[in-house]
Amino acid sequence: MRIAGELGWAADDCVRLREAALLHDIGKTGVPDAVLFKPGRLDGEEYAAITRHVELGVQIAGEVLDEEQATWVRRHHERVDGHGYPRAVAGPGPSEGSMILAGADAWDAMTAPRVYRDPLTPAQALAEVRAQAGTQFAPHVVAVMERLHAEGAPEMRGRRSTHRS
């Protein structure tokens, strides 16, 4: 919500983005725990199972989200450079809502402990986000994340989650 607000989104749209964010990975309920919590690298079949969580999530969350929110969820793993999933959308690519979700989700994934690695520090995560600006992440979203980090915003601190993103 904070990123969207910093980008000038209206308060009600920020709330809608928060609702989508809360449900964005619900499709992982359909991914076997052995894949979600695997301590090593995923093989091709396991990675495919992870990528399918997006469409399953849209099917589930689509019952309570509006069409635009469902699109944000559907495209939150798409990349600015067109190399994301599930559809590798090129051209205009992801919407601003999905680009915000992508940045926030990646931040959470990097700064949270995982069974396969320790969390990155906020400074390390910010360096990774910066390195991927213009390819994985939208540069204007990264700029807001940098500013929030520099201001010491609580949203830019590490998380304590153990889910796989």
Side-chain angles (χ1 to χ4, degrees):
M1 281 181 67
R2 181 82 183 263
I3 295 169
E6 294 287 322
L7 289 170
W9 281 38
D12 60 330
D13 288 330
C14 290
V15 170
R16 291 176 55 245
L17 183 64
R18 180 179 186 276
E19 292 167 350
L22 290 171
L23 296 173
H24 81 281
D25 272 343
I26 196 164
K28 287 186 178 177
T29 59
V31 178
D33 284 350
V35 174
L36 285 175
F37 301 109
K38 182 177 178 180
R41 291 185 74 73
L42 300 177
D43 65 26
E45 187 175 312
E46 293 163 335
Y47 182 75
I50 289 288
T51 65
R52 286 190 295 271
H53 87 275
V54 175
E55 288 301 330
L56 178 57
V58 170
Q59 289 173 9
I60 296 167
E63 296 293 320
V64 295
L65 299 178
D66 66 39
E67 187 176 324
E68 185 175 34
Q69 289 171 305
T71 297
W72 297 336
V73 171
R74 179 176 289 110
R75 294 185 174 179
H76 80 276
H77 283 293
E78 297 293 354
R79 296 170 45 132
V80 174
D81 64 7
H83 293 291
Y85 68 85
R87 297 185 179 148
V89 175
S95 65
E96 185 163 72
S98 60
M99 290 186 288
I100 294 168
L101 280 180
D105 185 43
W107 182 268
D108 182 63
M110 288 186 279
T111 60
R114 298 289 196 238
V115 295
Y116 53 89
R117 65 148 177 80
D118 290 331
L120 299 181
T121 67
Q124 291 169 321
L126 187 60
E128 182 64 24
V129 169
R130 279 185 188 130
Q132 297 301 319
T135 55
Q136 184 174 356
F137 305 115
H140 69 287
V141 171
V142 172
V144 171
M145 294 173 76
E146 288 177 308
R147 188 170 65 248
L148 291 173
H149 181 266
E151 293 171 1
E155 298 87 349
M156 303 307 289
R157 296 188 188 135
R159 303 287 185 234
R160 301 199 188 286
S161 169
T162 58
H163 78 282
R164 176 172 269 186
S165 288

